[in-house]
Amino acid sequence: MSETLNRESLLEAYRTMRTIREFEERVHNDFATGEIPGFVHLYAGEEASATGVCMHLTGDDYIASTHRGHGHCIAKGVDPVGMMAEIWGKATGTCKGKGGSMHIADLAVGMLGANGIVGGGGPLICGTTLAAKIRGDRTVGVCFFGDGASNQGTIFEAMNLATVWNLPAIFVAENNGYAETTSSTWSVACDNIADRASAFGMPGVIVDGFDFFAVHEAAGEAIRRARDGGGPTLIEMKLSRYYGHFEGDQQTYRADGEVQKLRETKDCLLQFRKRVTANGEITGEQLDAIDAEVGALIDGSVAKAKADPKPSAADLMTDVYVSY
Amino acid sequence: MARKITYQQAINEALDQEMARDQTVIVMGEDNAGGAGSPGEEDAWGGVLGVTKGLFHKHPGRVLDTPISESGFIGAAVGAACNGMRPVAELMFVDFMGVCFDQIFNQAAKFKYMFGGKAETPVVIRTMYGAGFRAAAQHSQCLYNLFTHIPGLKVVVPSNPYDAKGLLIQSIRDNDPVIFMEHKVLYTMEGEVPEELYTVPFGEAAVVREGDDVTIVAIGRMVGFAQEAAASLQKKGIHCEIIDPRTTSPLDEDTILESVENTGRLVVVDEANPRCSMAADIAGLVAQKAFAALKAPIEQVTAPHVPVPFSDALEDLYIPNAAAIEAAVTRVKEYR
Ligand SMILES: Cc1ncc(C[n+]2csc(CCOP(=O)(O)OP(=O)(O)O)c2C)c(N)n1
Ligand SMILES: [Mg+2]
């Protein structure tokens, strides 16, 4: 599997995962000081999923994301500097400060938006991939959604429609074990979300979502099949979030030490580092250098976000077909 | 002096006391207890902002967590209401009505009429609305007007803890489907609330403040802003009468019309977007039924016709405030 990944790709994968982690850690810290407004849901812990999937995509492919969308955005190529400003509610943000953390979108790079409505992305990806199919342009669409969202009617309808229309769509269920406080072992009536794939006439696969290489391989196969006209796939990533549902969540529903154990034994960045340095593909120094560069990038994004201006009063009334 | 509790506690207490009084009352919603199937605490959240906290252990088997399947469980609450229960289902944010509206407006709302009076659907849908949390366009809307438009639904918009408790108890006992709208910014508001059970009837507006110069009709969170404005205007010699409709369906037309007959001037304050809003509806009502009494054009103080923005700089401009109300009152008072 890592045969398909040359050194450059490995470094790119690491940089993306590290950027997401660093971004989220900084948002976590800054939220705690009360400086960041609104509801913020962090993707830390799940980086391998967004990264392993989006590495197969070009700017012409679309993704639809969720309320936990920062990682998908970064992996799809949205500029973290604009994202940080957006989260801080600044005029220089990706969406001019009008959307915030839950609505970061950048259509120019095929990012159809984080989404405040659980399950909102499924039908939208049926639409982008329908357009792709009609044009015959071999692009694909990926819908990321959570275990909680997997129980939403829109997701069921979208998966059925994708098979009925044979769309180049990939459904990525990020099963992080919880929807808010509710365990996926309780809310999902079957053993695995991927088991539902057969009901919708598509292949379903289960992947260790902490393992970048496993994600990369499974996503590659599904995306190739979709590009070749072979229709949709459901991929279930088994993974975990390191922080609360949203910032401020006390997480009393989780087991003691649950996250600590995962950080120590399963962490995608640690696993990746271990693997690529053990077989000599990459040196620890190279990865350290990336860590430093990413740290500087995120430092800069925060400094800029803090200094940037807020939207002006006139911005309230723009970007809607009519306002009064 | 009576005991003071918050709007949030008032809602929790109404649910608790009604569940104790009537075994057919059940509560359901996403994380309404919290922690279903999880390794840690049961009743971990009691709803996303803790409104239903504690009910799970007090009323075993009658507080149900749900998967994120709003069409499924809101519809199930409607069905259970047809079969002898009095369910109180929570739609976490009113913005999520988009994924379950059919069960509300085509099913619950229509049964009684469509079935020739043969069905009762005593379901309550509690839902959180309103701007002010920097929660952006999909978690901040003020959609009571959409429900008010639908015949068969009753729509309740409490502006304070006392009304929240009394109106929720009335909602649970009522035999029609009720949409109970809780403004998220009001949860921390404190007020005097009796410990015993009581009801506030539907279709009876509250005259929150009496005055002869200008009538202000304000809804939900806007009632507080209207009071602020009125206190300031009082110092300038302008005496406002403030009317809180408390329920938008049924709407207490008489109290509004009587007040305007006396003042001849009306300002309607509504946090929702202006078109097809309660503000427009009430302005229309008065223009039609109290035209002769009017001494000035009716003013509407509303949010602008744009989605709710995220940035605090924009959201603060979006939400109608006391200054805007004061300016509108001054305009109608000084007209001609
Ligand atoms: C239609 C809808 N229902 C409920 C919510 C509230 N909500 C936001 S995130 C969330 C949990 C989502 O869980 P999951 O899909 O597993 O994603 P995760 O948060 O674990 O990434 C809920 C219930 C919502 N935003 N939209
Ligand atoms: Mg989840």
Side-chain angles (χ1 to χ4, degrees):
Chain A
M1 38 188 171
S2 72
E3 297 91 34
T4 62
L5 285 161
N6 58 26
R7 176 169 309 177
E8 213 171 286
S9 304
L10 289 171
L11 292 172
E12 181 199 332
Y14 183 79
R15 182 182 298 274
T16 303
M17 292 197 289
R18 175 56 70 191
T19 305
I20 299 170
R21 176 68 54 84
E22 194 73 20
F23 189 94
E24 298 296 61
E25 302 275 5
R26 285 303 296 268
V27 173
H28 174 76
N29 291 338
D30 290 338
F31 191 93
T33 68
E35 290 175 280
I36 294 179
F39 292 119
V40 176
H41 310 79
L42 300 181
Y43 193 73
E46 308 188 12
E47 294 87 348
S49 172
T51 305
V53 171
C54 291
M55 274 186 76
H56 296 284
L57 304 178
T58 75
D60 294 330
D61 297 312
Y62 274 93
I63 66 165
S65 171
T66 71
H67 56 286
R68 200 174 302 289
H70 304 166
H72 305 133
C73 289
I74 290 172
K76 193 66 177 57
V78 182
D79 173 24
V81 177
M83 288 174 58
M84 193 62 86
E86 186 63 30
I87 290 166
W88 283 71
K90 299 304 179 76
T92 51
T94 319
C95 304
K96 305 181 199 164
K98 290 181 169 181
S101 165
M102 257 193 297
H103 304 296
I104 298 176
D106 190 351
L107 283 289
V109 298
M111 167 58 197
L112 196 50
N115 209 311
I117 303 300
V118 167
L124 300 176
I125 280 302
C126 288
T128 66
T129 53
L130 175 65
K133 189 184 169 188
I134 289 171
R135 279 199 300 265
D137 64 11
R138 290 181 57 83
T139 63
V140 301
V142 177
C143 171
F144 290 97
F145 60 104
D147 48 283
S150 80
N151 300 316
Q152 186 66 281
T154 50
I155 294 293
F156 293 141
E157 293 181 22
M159 288 199 283
N160 189 61
L161 187 60
T163 298
V164 168
W165 280 349
N166 192 38
L167 298 173
I170 297 90
F171 294 89
V172 177
E174 296 183 317
N175 185 348
N176 60 10
Y178 300 93
E180 296 187 344
T181 72
T182 301
S183 169
S184 59
T185 59
W186 181 86
S187 74
V188 177
C190 46
D191 289 342
N192 302 291
I193 295 167
D195 298 346
R196 292 172 174 170
S198 63
F200 296 112
M202 67 177 79
V205 280
I206 298 174
V207 176
D208 175 356
F210 288 102
D211 179 352
F212 165 80
F213 295 96
V215 172
H216 187 266
E217 187 187 8
E221 193 185 320
I223 291 168
R224 261 191 308 280
R225 182 165 50 241
R227 285 200 205 286
D228 291 343
T233 302
L234 171 59
I235 303 174
E236 178 179 3
M237 310 286 185
K238 304 276 195 191
L239 34 67
S240 187
R241 57 169 154 82
Y242 284 172
Y243 293 110
H245 170 66
F246 44 38
E247 289 308 279
D249 176 9
Q250 298 305 310
Q251 303 188 72
T252 59
Y253 51 89
R254 296 186 91 160
D256 285 342
E258 183 183 317
V259 172
Q260 195 50 37
K261 195 167 155 211
L262 290 168
R263 276 187 187 267
E264 284 162 13
T265 59
K266 299 280 292 177
D267 186 75
C268 61
L269 284 155
L270 286 183
Q271 280 197 60
F272 186 97
R273 177 181 280 258
K274 219 184 254 171
R275 174 159 164 173
V276 298
T277 52
N279 65 17
E281 284 170 288
I282 310 271
T283 66
E285 289 72 40
Q286 284 175 294
L287 298 181
D288 294 344
I290 291 177
D291 290 351
E293 284 166 28
V294 167
L297 170 76
I298 302 302
D299 282 349
S301 76
V302 174
K304 183 165 183 309
K306 286 187 183 184
D308 280 348
K310 289 191 173 171
S312 65
D315 295 327
L316 179 65
M317 305 299 276
T318 60
D319 299 317
V320 59
Y321 73 96
V322 58
S323 57
Y324 27 71
Chain B
M1 200 176 72
R3 172 192 62 142
K4 279 195 171 181
I5 57 174
T6 64
Y7 186 90
Q8 168 162 344
Q9 288 165 332
I11 292 165
N12 183 284
E13 187 169 282
L15 290 170
D16 185 23
Q17 292 180 340
E18 280 296 280
M19 290 184 88
R21 188 189 64 81
D22 179 351
Q23 297 296 306
T24 69
V25 179
I26 57 173
V27 163
M28 63 173 80
E30 289 154 21
D31 308 277
N32 266 6
S38 299
E41 189 191 8
E42 284 184 313
D43 198 29
W45 271 11
V48 68
L49 296 182
V51 176
T52 48
K53 183 91 178 163
L55 300 178
F56 177 76
H57 290 297
K58 285 191 201 164
H59 307 285
R62 289 196 286 141
V63 176
L64 286 81
D65 278 340
T66 71
I68 308 176
S69 310
E70 286 88 357
S71 262
F73 78 80
I74 295 283
V78 172
C82 296
N83 189 18
M85 306 303 282
R86 290 190 177 270
V88 183
E90 180 185 280
L91 179 60
M92 191 184 299
F93 289 79
V94 72
D95 314 70
F96 309 160
M97 69 182 276
V99 290
C100 59
F101 200 32
D102 177 71
Q103 295 292 323
I104 300 171
F105 90 107
N106 274 322
Q107 311 302 331
K110 308 261 193 290
F111 287 168
K112 191 185 218 164
Y113 186 87
M114 200 164 64
F115 299 161
K118 288 186 183 134
E120 302 278 19
T121 314
V123 65
V124 181
I125 298 166
R126 292 180 40 245
T127 187
M128 178 162 54
Y129 76 100
F133 265 38
R134 320 308 185 200
Q138 296 175 342
H139 285 73
S140 304
Q141 296 169 89
C142 203
L143 303 176
Y144 40 71
N145 55 325
L146 298 187
F147 298 103
T148 305
H149 181 74
I150 308 296
L153 297 178
K154 292 176 176 169
V155 185
V156 181
V157 280
S159 68
N160 61 72
Y162 177 90
D163 285 349
K165 180 172 174 182
L167 286 167
L168 183 51
I169 293 172
Q170 177 61 36
S171 300
I172 292 168
R173 297 180 187 179
D174 198 278
N175 283 337
D176 287 315
V178 177
I179 311 297
F180 190 86
M181 308 275 312
E182 302 169 9
H183 199 299
K184 53 179 85 69
V185 173
L186 294 181
Y187 280 136
T188 52
M189 177 189 194
E190 289 202 340
E192 290 181 9
V193 177
E195 287 179 43
E196 65 272 14
L197 288 155
Y198 61 93
T199 58
V200 171
F202 290 172
E204 276 189 26
V207 179
V208 175
R209 179 188 181 108
E210 293 186 358
D212 289 328
D213 291 331
V214 178
T215 301
I216 304 175
V217 178
I219 297 167
R221 185 184 180 207
M222 297 299 111
V223 175
F225 291 156
Q227 284 170 297
E228 248 180 78
S232 164
L233 288 157
Q234 171 89 26
K235 291 183 202 132
K236 298 174 186 161
I238 301 177
H239 306 286
C240 298
E241 181 143 297
I242 301 176
I243 296 173
D244 172 1
R246 300 198 283 201
T247 59
T248 58
S249 186
L251 181 69
D252 179 355
E253 298 186 3
D254 291 346
T255 300
I256 296 169
L257 292 170
E258 275 161 30
S259 177
V260 177
E261 291 289 347
N262 181 40
T263 62
R265 296 178 162 87
L266 175 65
V267 173
V268 194
V269 192
D270 181 358
E271 189 186 314
N273 305 114
R275 290 292 180 268
C276 298
S277 62
M278 284 313 301
D281 184 88
I282 291 167
L285 168 81
V286 169
Q288 187 184 350
K289 296 191 177 170
F291 183 71
L294 284 173
K295 299 173 196 155
I298 298 164
E299 286 265 356
Q300 300 178 39
V301 179
T302 69
H305 187 70
V306 301
V308 185
F310 164 67
S311 181
D312 52 346
L314 297 179
E315 194 185 32
D316 288 344
L317 294 170
Y318 173 94
I319 302 169
N321 58 26
I325 299 168
E326 193 169 334
V329 169
T330 307
R331 279 194 300 274
V332 301
K333 178 71 174 105
E334 288 173 356
Y335 182 80
R336 256 177 261 217

